Amino acid sequence: MTDIVDDLKWRGLFSLSTDEDALRKALADGPVTFYCGFDPTAPSLHVGHLVQVLTVRRLQLAGHRPLALVGGATGQIGDPRPTAERTLNDPETVAAWVGRLRGQIEPYLSFEGDNAALMVNNLDWTAGLSAIEFLRDIGKHFRVNKMLTKDAVARRLESEQGISYTEFSYQLLQGMDFLELYRRYGCTLQQGGSDQWGNLTAGLDLIHRLEPGADVHCVATPLMVKADGTKFGKTEGGAVWLDPEMTTPYAFYQFWLNQDDRDISTYLRMLSFRSRAELEEMEQLTAERPQARTAQRALAEELTTLVHGADQCAAVIAASKALFGQGDLAELDEPTLAAALSELPHAQVTEPAPIADLLALTELVPSKSAARRTIKEGGAYLNNAKVTDEDATPTRDDLIHGRWLVLRRGKRNLAAVEVR
């Protein structure tokens, strides 16, 4: 990598900067100590956070020193949302979430060598600060008219709900973070999303006021938006989380596998660590044979391995293949199978019922008569075995892990039945 800025631009990770030429020089002269902040407003990061986490990783691989900030203080306030006031979480909950987010971020960084990463918490420099000190030492240097121009603040002011002073003060807290990290660790660059630009530059302005001559910078990545205009990282079930208890590795893998062809090249460039030549080859393959979903499979495998580990990724791939008749369902471990089947249409019964009834119950077919017709035509499968008898009824010996039946109509229409 000869120029990290050029690489970030090629990958679509460079949206805004305070002074690109000065930033290029600082990074070239480096190493630069930089930081990126994450607020614990939930017990897990989601896939939208991967853009920032992996950009931090890229900058460290380019030789720069990362400070990963998990906001034990700002997490108790919350950055203003454009639509509504955040629900405040109690300090104990936020503290627990700080620990969880730290554990999710740390595996992506190296804590050894000359540019070893450091985890920091802004509660360390705010917990003992009095309101008077905060207002005199920090608030004095912020101008309300400028704070009002921030998009989320402006939109909230136009709403009936308005905005509380608590959320309005968030800019001051994030600005103070940059100042403290500059003073404590020589941090001269803040990285974040473009929706945070007002907060990023607030810290830069504060440093310029209190530390004349300081050479500091901000850089922002763009927001990821799907080609259809919907928000990236959202599914019908809500956010796609990095915590395997909140989003299973199987669902995580399927999320990437099912990405629109119009979006996949963008996601590959932003999130993959493959070389430019490899990515350009995948883009070409996607354009020539989109039905093969080469790019989607590559990104799904890379990110599932990165987030959940190689063993989990292998188990997920095996489950995906087995569901469509390319493997033995009985060989899948129970948690992986259960996670895979939870993504399918499913029904619960107390005893095994005729397969024709189960096909209709799971809505793989519109009626029992349609189910019998599907069986007669050779299009029905139970646990990947073709069903030939219209009156066939599975036994408890057919249950996978003593619990599941997997139904398939044709090649790709699947459903699960849980026998309790």
Side-chain angles (χ1 to χ4, degrees):
M1 185 182 299
T2 56
D3 190 318
I4 183 63
V5 173
D6 285 343
D7 187 68
L8 293 176
K9 282 193 164 188
W10 182 82
R11 292 179 179 276
L13 290 168
F14 195 97
S15 175
L16 296 165
S17 70
T18 42
D19 185 329
E20 183 179 327
D21 290 338
L23 176 61
R24 281 181 181 274
K25 184 178 186 309
L27 292 170
D29 293 343
V32 167
T33 298
F34 69 99
Y35 98 93
C36 184
F38 303 87
D39 275 345
T41 53
S44 172
L45 299 175
H46 53 71
V47 293
H49 291 111
L50 276 177
V51 177
Q52 301 310 324
V53 175
L54 299 185
T55 302
V56 172
R57 181 183 175 105
R58 291 184 201 283
L59 284 163
Q60 185 178 32
L61 290 172
H64 305 289
R65 183 193 182 202
L67 308 175
L69 185 151
V70 182
T74 44
Q76 296 184 48
I77 303 299
D79 189 26
R81 293 183 298 187
T83 52
E85 190 88 5
R86 290 183 184 272
T87 299
L88 297 182
N89 296 297
D90 61 72
E92 293 76 17
T93 298
V94 173
W97 289 354
V98 166
R100 290 172 66 110
L101 266 60
R102 284 183 58 128
Q104 289 182 332
I105 295 168
E106 287 171 349
Y108 300 95
L109 305 177
S110 171
F111 293 85
E112 300 177 349
D114 294 337
N115 65 330
L118 182 68
M119 301 296 300
V120 293
N121 184 343
N122 54 22
L123 193 61
D124 292 344
W125 51 83
T126 55
L129 189 66
S130 73
I132 295 297
E133 290 173 314
F134 179 66
L135 292 173
R136 284 179 60 89
D137 298 341
I138 303 299
K140 173 70 174 175
H141 302 287
F142 283 78
R143 295 295 174 262
V144 171
N145 57 328
K146 187 170 184 179
M147 294 174 68
L148 292 174
T149 62
K150 184 182 177 186
D151 183 58
V153 172
R155 289 173 63 180
R156 287 279 293 281
L157 286 173
E158 294 171 359
S159 70
E160 290 185 7
Q161 187 182 39
I163 186 170
S164 70
Y165 180 76
T166 300
E167 286 197 354
F168 184 63
S169 69
Y170 184 94
Q171 271 191 66
L172 280 70
L173 291 170
Q174 187 165 333
M176 184 170 64
D177 287 346
F178 199 179
L179 175 66
E180 284 293 326
L181 294 175
Y182 172 81
R183 288 174 169 173
R184 292 178 181 222
Y185 305 107
C187 176
T188 57
L189 171 63
Q190 183 178 181
Q191 169 212 327
S194 58
D195 60 330
Q196 289 282 308
W197 189 245
N199 293 333
L200 270 62
T201 55
L204 181 137
D205 292 343
L206 181 62
I207 293 174
H208 283 160
R209 285 177 178 272
L210 296 176
E211 303 286 347
D215 185 21
V216 289
H217 313 272
C218 296
V219 62
T221 60
L223 291 182
M224 294 178 74
V225 180
K226 295 181 181 180
D228 63 8
T230 59
K231 190 172 183 180
F232 170 77
K234 297 288 186 179
T235 67
E236 290 183 3
V240 180
W241 303 98
L242 304 192
D243 188 318
E245 298 299 319
M246 299 172 68
T247 297
T248 66
Y250 182 86
F252 184 88
Y253 179 89
Q254 292 295 323
F255 170 78
W256 299 108
L257 188 63
N258 293 324
Q259 289 304 314
D260 193 310
D261 289 334
R262 296 172 294 173
D263 296 318
I264 192 62
S265 291
T266 297
Y267 299 163
L268 270 169
R269 290 190 180 206
M270 296 180 85
L271 301 172
S272 174
F273 283 87
R274 287 178 167 86
S275 69
R276 182 181 298 197
E278 288 178 286
L279 296 181
E280 288 175 340
E281 182 180 356
M282 284 185 196
E283 290 171 4
Q284 185 65 29
L285 289 171
T286 297
E288 293 173 353
R289 297 183 63 244
Q291 69 276 10
R293 304 191 75 73
T294 301
Q296 284 90 338
R297 292 181 190 281
L299 188 60
E301 183 172 348
E302 181 176 356
L303 293 181
T304 305
T305 299
L306 194 63
V307 174
H308 296 297
D311 290 345
Q312 280 291 335
C313 184
V316 163
I317 292 172
S320 298
K321 291 181 177 179
L323 284 176
F324 295 99
Q326 300 174 37
D328 189 348
L329 289 164
E331 291 184 358
L332 302 178
D333 64 83
E334 187 170 0
T336 300
L337 178 65
L341 297 184
S342 69
E343 301 296 312
L344 303 177
H346 61 277
Q348 290 184 349
V349 296
T350 55
E351 289 294 333
I355 292 173
D357 292 1
L358 296 177
L359 287 168
L361 182 64
T362 56
E363 299 184 349
L364 281 177
V365 293
S367 64
K368 291 181 183 179
S369 60
R372 297 177 71 86
R373 187 164 56 253
T374 298
I375 294 171
K376 184 177 181 180
E377 293 172 352
Y381 296 82
L382 173 69
N383 299 342
N384 284 336
K386 182 176 287 190
V387 180
T388 57
D389 183 355
E390 297 174 37
D391 298 312
T393 300
T395 68
R396 287 197 168 267
D397 290 339
D398 294 313
L399 300 181
I400 304 172
H401 294 301
R403 178 182 174 191
W404 297 103
L405 296 170
V406 180
L407 301 174
R408 177 157 52 91
R409 177 177 62 81
K411 291 183 177 181
R412 303 201 62 82
N413 299 293
L414 291 158
V417 176
E418 184 179 10
V419 182
R420 289 192 164 188

